[in-house]
Amino acid sequence: MLSIKDLHVSIDGKPILKGINLEVKAGEVHAIMGPNGSGKSTLSQLLAGRSGYTVDSGSVTYKDQDLLELAPEERSWEGVFLAFQYPVEIPGVNNTYLLRAGLNAIRKHRGEAEINAVDFLKLVREKAKLVELDESFLSRSVNQGFSGGEKKRNEIFQMAVLEPALAILDETDSGLDIDALRIVAEGINKLRNEDRAFILITHYQRLLDYIEPDFVHVLADGQIQRSGDKSLALELEREGYSWLDSDTGSETDAA
Amino acid sequence: MSSTSEDVQEFVDKQYKHGFITDIETDTIGAGLSEDVIRVISKKKGEPEFMLEWRLKAYRRWLTMSEPTWAQVRFDPIDYQDIIYYSAPKSPGEGPKSLDDVDPKLLETYTKLGIPLLEQQMLAGIAVDAVFDSVSVVTTFKEKLAEAGVVFCPLSEAVHSHPELVKKYLGSVVPTGDNFFSTLNSAVFSDGSFVYIPKGVRCPMELSTYFRINEAKTGQFERTLIIAEEGSHVSYLEGCTAPMRDENQLHAAVVELVILDNAKIKYSTVQNWYPGDENGKGGIYNFVTKRALCAGINSKISWTQVETGSAITWKYPSCVLRGENSVGEFYSVALTNNYQQADTGTKMIHLGKNTRSTIISKGISAGHGENSYRGLVRIAKTAEGARNYTQCDSLLIGDTCAAHTFPYMEVGNPSAQVEHEATTSKISEDQLFYCQQRGITEEDAVSMIVNGFCKSVFKELPMEFAVEAGKLLSVSLEGAVG
């Protein structure tokens, strides 16, 4: 589904990603872990189409298309979803209004008819239950006055409604208390299926206690330093990222 | 990023939709202004002597005045001798008596503008006075309104049919000599709407006036007078458009509202005059004086305006709150894109006890637009217990536009409460990206965010206008991003 090959990305001339390789197939859950400043968020934002990044070399292929050629909304229509680390507030814009406009744009792209108001309401009510989001949130302005945990749950709720093919979750676990973490993780687990792939960007192992990944990658200094199965995450939990310092140091020298 | 030729076509089509010209034979006088021109206008309208005197008095006063320069707008000097002060579509006899007499070309024009004048085709419950250049061409549902005792007709007709009301109230709220543009209007005004709601009557339908400038080089100087007698209610809407022309055209209107005990007027405007092209060429100068006098106790005026058109807007719908417990409200959305300039706001003059006013102003600037809010809240010594709340928000799109806020407050009574809140924000890249990530195109995202910003004003508009206003904002913002 997604194939990233030797991807080099810089911001204002400063290299951030220095040769990323990653293959994601439908049905897989990939966890990308790593210390602060390793390039995790750059990767997720780049995949979703945020401007301000320069791709110096490499390629990103998604469903046999050059993903980097698509506008952000076109990526969304093709099924790429980003759960934001810091969901933005949009005063005066109704939460479900935005979601319905998005869903209809996606449906239109697929050649489907717009969803009518009654069916849509039914759909959002059902999906709101998935993340135990109170219905009052449906009629509020986008993220306005939401607590940190509510914003994250709202992201997962939106994902549930839009039913993406590739969901990228950028530190969705950060800032969540243990109950909220459980709710969010369960919401994600319910959305797992063989057609859908997940990329979980996370700092900590604890999310992976709830969501079992197929692959764990360690991103540091703009490169994937190690890949493995879920045991790698546990190893990181025990030993931290300090072992990376010496490794990356030598690799940089070698490069 | 991915505009196909179809997108481009759609974009082009979405530009100013009302820019066409109606080819119609007109009765037009030469450009220029003098006492003789005023006599001609008055004669053409067959006015009684008192009106001519009134006009000439205003004209002589105007000669002594000079254009105001305090507004945050810039424009080349206007040559008042180069303006045509009267232009009317030619009609047999004294003007149309019924729809059957109206030139089909005119009916077609209004249909094209989305204002069908044939009563069976109209939105139920809205009566329309259609003003074309200098004259009112038709007023619909007159008979139905008359059953309720409501008078809704061109002002030029009211001068004959209700001279005592016109004499009593014309100039009672905006006196001749009030300001440069209103004084000019008093001298040369050609038509406009007259509304009289008798005591205790709740007007059975929405009233609206649709203004259209067609003829080149013509100024439109209409005058609206609405009188709401004790305990009456009326909701009035106005809309305006003009063809696309390279030269600037002047629109200097006056609106006067008189509201007696326990009466209520709701006055809504969607102003979409031609704004000029993307380089700032052409467009209407919209220099308008609007004022309501809450003369009676518990009277109420609510102004709602959506200003998206005009090259320059200079407009301050005001409320004089004289009656005890009277209420003034002003809800405004003003948008400037390309090289448009707007200096708009309100005046709340609190004279009576326990008078209350609310001001909600939303200014949106894009392109090289200049948007200023200018508002005065004056609490007179006599206004014991008066209260005002002002909220004034500006939204900037891009980094070449500007927003200014000029709030003036004069509080002469220590028991008054005056609150002012103001914010300035930009549509952030984060907001746009968030919407796009959810599948919404950048342009739709901008219009969604702008509509969200204006929500508290739009909800004051009558339903069908609110929808129109939202669409209008989106169209006016075309090309503002990307």
Side-chain angles (χ1 to χ4, degrees):
Chain A
M1 178 183 288
L2 181 75
S3 172
I4 304 176
K5 291 212 166 76
D6 195 28
L7 185 65
H8 290 255
V9 173
S10 57
I11 303 175
D12 298 331
K14 185 170 176 265
I16 306 290
L17 301 182
K18 305 167 184 169
I20 299 276
N21 290 290
L22 185 66
E23 294 290 330
V24 178
K25 293 195 181 68
E28 292 177 350
V29 174
H30 291 247
I32 297 180
M33 304 181 70
N36 286 329
S38 58
K40 301 192 300 289
S41 281
T42 298
L43 179 62
S44 62
Q45 303 260 331
L46 178 89
L47 291 177
R50 194 183 180 106
S51 58
Y53 301 104
T54 309
V55 175
D56 299 311
S57 64
S59 68
V60 180
T61 311
Y62 170 75
K63 288 186 180 172
D64 301 325
Q65 296 176 79
D66 182 353
L67 186 70
L68 303 176
E69 279 297 306
L70 300 179
E73 62 269 26
E74 293 172 315
R75 300 183 195 198
S76 164
W77 301 340
E78 292 291 344
V80 176
F81 181 91
L82 173 65
F84 286 78
Q85 185 180 4
Y86 304 108
V88 68
E89 299 189 0
I90 311 179
V93 176
N94 183 287
N95 205 20
T96 37
Y97 180 77
L98 175 115
L99 196 51
R100 190 175 166 198
L103 179 62
N104 277 331
I106 292 167
R107 290 173 70 105
K108 191 178 162 197
H109 179 71
R110 292 194 202 133
E112 294 168 9
E114 289 199 349
I115 188 164
N116 68 46
V118 177
D119 290 347
F120 182 70
L121 195 64
K122 230 171 91 186
L123 177 72
V124 293
R125 284 199 170 135
E126 178 195 319
K127 301 295 186 183
K129 279 202 196 101
L130 197 72
V131 282
E132 297 176 30
L133 194 66
D134 191 87
E135 274 190 28
S136 65
F137 284 88
L138 302 179
S139 53
R140 285 167 61 177
S141 292
V142 178
N143 292 318
Q144 202 177 21
F146 289 23
S147 72
E150 287 160 352
K151 284 182 184 173
K152 296 297 175 74
R153 269 194 274 169
N154 192 37
E155 294 292 292
I156 303 305
F157 159 66
Q158 296 188 1
M159 177 172 85
V161 172
L162 298 180
E163 301 193 314
L166 173 65
I168 304 158
L169 282 65
D170 191 1
E171 302 209 15
T172 298
D173 53 334
S174 63
L176 292 183
D177 62 33
I178 197 74
D179 287 331
L181 181 68
R182 180 187 51 77
I183 293 167
V184 164
E186 281 173 7
I188 296 166
N189 279 330
K190 283 177 195 155
L191 294 169
R192 277 179 83 160
N193 67 31
E194 57 195 20
D195 300 322
R196 183 170 293 141
F198 286 86
I199 296 174
L200 308 177
I201 306 246
T202 180
H203 208 68
Y204 304 105
Q205 141 71 20
R206 60 174 199 164
L207 179 66
L208 307 180
D209 288 341
Y210 297 93
I211 304 171
E212 198 171 304
D214 300 304
F215 301 94
V216 174
H217 310 277
V218 179
L219 183 64
D221 193 29
Q223 286 183 328
I224 290 179
Q225 306 290 349
R226 273 180 73 184
S227 295
D229 61 14
K230 60 180 176 177
S231 62
L232 178 57
L234 295 167
E235 189 186 324
L236 285 174
E237 183 74 359
R238 280 196 309 273
E239 295 171 17
Y241 293 111
S242 54
W243 57 271
L244 286 167
D245 294 339
S246 50
D247 275 17
T248 50
S250 59
E251 278 203 24
T252 314
D253 289 345
Chain B
M1 217 181 269
S2 65
S3 24
T4 63
S5 59
E6 212 173 39
D7 290 337
V8 173
Q9 193 52 44
E10 196 177 25
F11 170 76
V12 171
D13 290 346
K14 266 194 189 166
Q15 302 251 330
Y16 194 74
K17 279 191 300 196
H18 310 302
F20 63 90
I21 296 163
T22 306
D23 182 17
I24 193 161
E25 221 182 318
T26 56
D27 174 12
T28 301
I29 62 172
L33 185 56
S34 64
E35 291 204 4
D36 286 343
V37 167
I38 291 165
R39 282 177 213 280
V40 169
I41 294 172
S42 187
K43 196 171 167 208
K44 276 188 185 295
K45 310 206 81 74
E47 285 179 350
E49 188 61 24
F50 82 91
M51 280 307 307
L52 176 62
E53 282 310 313
W54 198 82
R55 287 173 181 278
L56 289 173
K57 201 178 127 204
Y59 176 65
R60 286 163 198 152
R61 180 72 189 272
W62 180 74
L63 289 174
T64 68
M65 301 170 89
S66 48
E67 259 179 32
T69 52
W70 42 261
Q72 185 76 19
V73 295
R74 289 174 308 277
F75 54 93
D76 291 334
I78 298 171
D79 181 355
Y80 291 91
Q81 294 304 333
D82 196 36
I83 293 173
I84 295 168
Y85 289 87
Y86 185 87
S87 173
K90 255 192 188 146
S91 60
E94 288 176 9
K97 296 279 184 287
S98 77
L99 276 166
D100 301 337
D101 301 331
V102 178
D103 188 323
K105 269 189 192 165
L106 282 175
L107 294 180
E108 198 186 305
T109 299
Y110 282 91
T111 305
K112 237 164 136 178
L113 295 169
I115 322 283
L117 296 175
L118 299 174
E119 292 183 1
Q120 64 271 26
Q121 292 174 6
M122 293 193 49
L123 287 168
I126 302 180
V128 181
D129 183 18
V131 177
F132 193 86
D133 288 337
S134 302
V135 294
S136 169
V137 289
V138 71
T139 308
T140 62
F141 291 112
K142 257 189 195 167
E143 290 76 19
K144 190 166 181 224
L145 289 167
E147 283 169 26
V150 172
V151 181
F152 180 41
C153 68
L155 186 55
S156 56
E157 192 180 310
V159 167
H160 298 284
S161 59
H162 299 84
E164 67 300 338
L165 287 173
V166 174
K167 247 189 213 171
K168 183 170 174 190
Y169 289 111
L170 192 71
S172 70
V173 184
V174 180
T176 30
D178 185 79
N179 68 67
F180 183 82
F181 297 112
S182 73
T183 308
L184 176 63
N185 173 287
S186 300
V188 301
F189 81 89
S190 39
D191 220 334
S193 301
F194 175 82
V195 177
Y196 177 78
I197 316 288
K199 195 169 166 177
V201 170
R202 180 179 282 267
C203 188
M205 51 193 356
E206 304 252 3
L207 304 183
S208 76
T209 302
Y210 196 89
F211 296 102
R212 173 78 177 168
I213 298 178
N214 186 59
E215 191 71 15
K217 295 184 91 170
T218 306
Q220 192 175 54
F221 304 91
E222 89 276 358
R223 209 168 168 112
T224 299
L225 175 60
I226 302 179
I227 301 147
E229 285 279 9
E230 276 176 44
S232 67
H233 282 229
V234 64
S235 169
Y236 180 90
L237 326 164
E238 65 175 359
C240 358
T241 57
M244 293 154 85
R245 293 184 191 280
D246 283 347
E247 75 268 24
N248 297 106
Q249 280 178 283
L250 180 62
H251 173 256
V254 173
V255 173
E256 295 179 277
L257 313 181
V258 180
I259 310 149
L260 301 176
D261 288 357
N262 302 304
K264 209 160 130 183
I265 296 180
K266 185 173 176 62
Y267 194 106
S268 313
T269 304
V270 173
Q271 184 264 107
N272 187 26
W273 294 119
Y274 177 53
D277 69 9
E278 68 279 10
N279 299 314
K281 198 168 167 63
I284 301 288
Y285 291 166
N286 190 35
F287 299 159
V288 173
T289 304
K290 293 183 168 179
R291 198 173 301 157
L293 172 62
C294 280
I297 57 163
N298 304 321
S299 55
K300 181 176 173 184
I301 167 62
S302 181
W303 296 103
T304 305
Q305 63 171 21
V306 177
E307 303 282 325
T308 60
S310 299
I312 302 176
T313 297
W314 179 99
K315 182 182 165 187
Y316 315 90
S318 305
C319 307
V320 179
L321 305 173
R322 196 170 73 194
E324 258 180 50
N325 303 321
S326 59
V327 175
E329 294 174 343
F330 175 74
Y331 301 98
S332 170
V333 166
L335 179 145
T336 52
N337 193 6
N338 296 322
Y339 286 86
Q340 283 177 278
Q341 308 172 56
D343 192 300
T344 184
T346 184
K347 289 187 215 171
M348 293 292 174
I349 312 294
H350 291 256
L351 302 174
K353 282 184 188 157
N354 300 316
T355 45
R356 282 166 292 150
S357 64
T358 304
I359 300 170
I360 308 282
S361 164
K362 305 278 181 177
I364 303 149
S365 314
H368 294 85
E370 287 259 355
N371 208 321
S372 305
Y373 166 80
R374 188 182 303 276
L376 167 68
V377 176
R378 178 184 289 153
I379 313 278
K381 240 188 195 154
T382 48
E384 193 74 24
R387 295 205 305 269
N388 162 265
Y389 172 76
T390 301
Q391 188 190 333
C392 192
D393 300 322
S394 304
L395 184 69
L396 302 172
I397 302 171
D399 48 13
T400 52
C401 57
H404 315 270
T405 307
F406 303 97
Y408 305 84
M409 280 177 217
E410 300 169 15
V411 180
N413 188 303
S415 67
Q417 289 177 37
V418 177
E419 282 177 74
H420 182 95
E421 285 180 30
T423 65
T424 302
S425 53
K426 273 186 94 157
I427 291 188
S428 71
E429 257 185 55
D430 285 343
Q431 288 172 329
L432 287 177
F433 180 55
Y434 190 86
C435 294
Q436 286 178 280
Q437 214 304 300
R438 296 302 180 253
I440 296 155
T441 62
E442 191 175 30
E443 290 215 330
D444 287 348
V446 169
S447 101
M448 194 180 279
I449 293 166
V450 169
N451 273 295
F453 175 73
C454 300
K455 204 179 205 173
S456 54
V457 172
F458 285 173
K459 73 175 170 45
E460 297 297 328
L461 286 170
M463 185 66 142
E464 60 275 22
F465 257 41
V467 175
E468 270 308 301
K471 284 189 203 153
L472 192 54
L473 275 195
S474 312
V475 172
S476 305
L477 277 171
E478 288 293 328
V481 288

